[in-house]
Amino acid sequence: MEFLSQMWSLLGLLTILQNVLPTQLLSLLHSLWQSLQDSLTPYSYFDVPEFLGSAAVEPNALYRHVQLYLHRSLLLSSSPPPPRLTLSLPRSLSGVSGVPPSASSVSVSLSPNHSVPDAFGGHRAVWTHHADTLQDSLEERRSFSLRLPKRHAASLLPAYLAHLAAAADALERASRARRLHTNGASCPRGGGSSASWSSVPFCHPSTFETLALDQELKARLLADLTAFAGDGGREFYRRTGRPWKRGYLLHGPPGSGKSSLIAAMANHLRYDVFDLELTRVTTNADLRALLIQTTNRSLIVIEDIDCSLHLTGDRSSKRRRQRNNKRRRSLDDDSSDDDSDDDDGRGGSDGHRGKVTLSGLLNFTDGLWSCCGEERIIVFTTNHVDGIDPALLRPGRMDVHVRLGPCGAYAMRELVDRYVGAGVGEHETLDAAEKCIADGAEMTAAEVGEVLLRNRDEPETAVSELAAELKARVKAADELQWEDSAAELSDESPTKKGRKGFAGWEGKVRILGRLRSLTKSESGRRGV
């Protein structure tokens, strides 16, 4: 009791002194007490406020990193867990009534005035969450404080913060909601541009696990994407002086899986997708405006590039006009642009003013304006690669060319396993289907999937129908090749025999004999 009475007396004395002594003196005493504590404690403390400055307006990015790091790296994996945690679920993720939210959508944070330990480099660090209510206000001022051993704090802090930032960056990329953007039709307003993007949530289910691709091609694509967006990607591109971007050209027949591969790339990298419709872009200035509005970590997709704009035809017609003008004027100058990659389409030519030109598209993909962001992939798709201007295919613009052709045997088996189950993997009919592919039958992944989808509840029927379709295509391909061979022979042979006279293996032997005799006769004529 005597000890308690002395404590109360001391507290009363301190209260009287606080009311009597000047504020400046009290502040000085408080600073001296803090200095005494700091000199005696074996720890160093670092505060991370939520906002910067006294106005508390500018957010502190490091606070966000600490919040993410504690949420996934410590709070959910520490053993034993912290004594008190705060759980929250945003309204937008609450789900449909009656459907419980997933565990990954619930946000976990450290409750105010509680701590959680961490270990790094063989040393113990402690994070404490502070939340102080402002006087005469309902607002809170939140911050984190980090406690490190004072002896090792100077050498430990930079490496620890770098580790924290890298972990928070990976967690933010894995948890952020991704969007699918598209550009609307632009119309000038007051001499400016109204080019902009609109977006919806990106929820495409395609992944590299669900893609029916050749194993070697799939491994090559995954390795290239990992090298581009991996931990050393930023440092590599910075060291080599190149913009942190990469170009892909996907070409192949319709239904070969170009759009599905784009979705799988976006899901693998967790990038936003910007689907650029060139026919809605009015000028090169609008194209640049759209580029500036794209975000980092995104796929910029231009599908069917050979159909979007007649860039090759425009450029060739301009060259013809320039040559005609040179002849008419009889001027001995070099005013025409001889570089096929740098056609003058920046708006100075009357023939190209007011529309997107090849030069504008090249600047979009590989010019100075392409450097206004980081970690972006530009993807072109086409059904006919021969219809694209060679200037767009150069390395640095389209670095990776991916041909997606008809289904191979491995891809077909993957589709069968995925659509109708793995129980028919050793079916004799499936072996016959593989033989048809080896004999030259061609079906795209979309065509194979459609056949299997019609019979997804009857695996035997699905495989039999697929094999029948492949056999029909082998027969059709043989007949077409036979007709071509017979047509060539009838054009060059004086007898002009039709296809009906050459049926079966005997006909093929006769054709080879006639071709050989024709080759000898042609060589004899040249000798004469």
Side-chain angles (χ1 to χ4, degrees), residues 34 146 349 356 497:
Q34 287 292 113
L146 171 63
S349 172
V356 177
K497 289 189 177 180

mmCIF file of all heavy atoms in Angstrom, residues 34 146 349 356 497:
data_model
loop_
_atom_site.group_PDB
_atom_site.id
_atom_site.type_symbol
_atom_site.label_atom_id
_atom_site.label_comp_id
_atom_site.label_asym_id
_atom_site.label_seq_id
_atom_site.Cartn_x
_atom_site.Cartn_y
_atom_site.Cartn_z
ATOM 1 N N GLN A 34 13.501 11.067 -24.209
ATOM 2 C CA GLN A 34 13.568 10.211 -25.374
ATOM 3 C C GLN A 34 15.014 9.908 -25.752
ATOM 4 O O GLN A 34 15.358 8.774 -26.118
ATOM 5 C CB GLN A 34 12.853 10.867 -26.565
ATOM 6 C CG GLN A 34 11.331 10.875 -26.460
ATOM 7 C CD GLN A 34 10.757 9.487 -26.564
ATOM 8 O OE1 GLN A 34 10.196 8.972 -25.589
ATOM 9 N NE2 GLN A 34 10.902 8.861 -27.708
ATOM 10 N N LEU A 146 9.364 -0.100 -37.412
ATOM 11 C CA LEU A 146 10.248 -1.262 -37.569
ATOM 12 C C LEU A 146 11.336 -1.193 -36.512
ATOM 13 O O LEU A 146 12.003 -0.157 -36.358
ATOM 14 C CB LEU A 146 10.875 -1.260 -38.968
ATOM 15 C CG LEU A 146 11.974 -2.279 -39.233
ATOM 16 C CD1 LEU A 146 11.436 -3.698 -39.120
ATOM 17 C CD2 LEU A 146 12.602 -2.042 -40.601
ATOM 18 N N SER A 349 2.177 14.903 -95.183
ATOM 19 C CA SER A 349 1.790 14.572 -96.547
ATOM 20 C C SER A 349 0.300 14.717 -96.703
ATOM 21 O O SER A 349 -0.486 14.289 -95.874
ATOM 22 C CB SER A 349 2.230 13.130 -96.874
ATOM 23 O OG SER A 349 1.708 12.739 -98.109
ATOM 24 N N VAL A 356 -4.277 7.068 -89.857
ATOM 25 C CA VAL A 356 -3.117 6.357 -89.325
ATOM 26 C C VAL A 356 -2.287 5.837 -90.491
ATOM 27 O O VAL A 356 -2.811 5.260 -91.440
ATOM 28 C CB VAL A 356 -3.566 5.197 -88.423
ATOM 29 C CG1 VAL A 356 -2.368 4.413 -87.935
ATOM 30 C CG2 VAL A 356 -4.359 5.725 -87.242
ATOM 31 N N LYS A 497 -3.937 -36.547 -121.582
ATOM 32 C CA LYS A 497 -4.816 -37.501 -120.925
ATOM 33 C C LYS A 497 -5.341 -36.909 -119.615
ATOM 34 O O LYS A 497 -4.632 -36.194 -118.936
ATOM 35 C CB LYS A 497 -4.068 -38.807 -120.627
ATOM 36 C CG LYS A 497 -3.772 -39.597 -121.902
ATOM 37 C CD LYS A 497 -3.239 -40.959 -121.553
ATOM 38 C CE LYS A 497 -3.007 -41.787 -122.807
ATOM 39 N NZ LYS A 497 -2.495 -43.119 -122.493
#
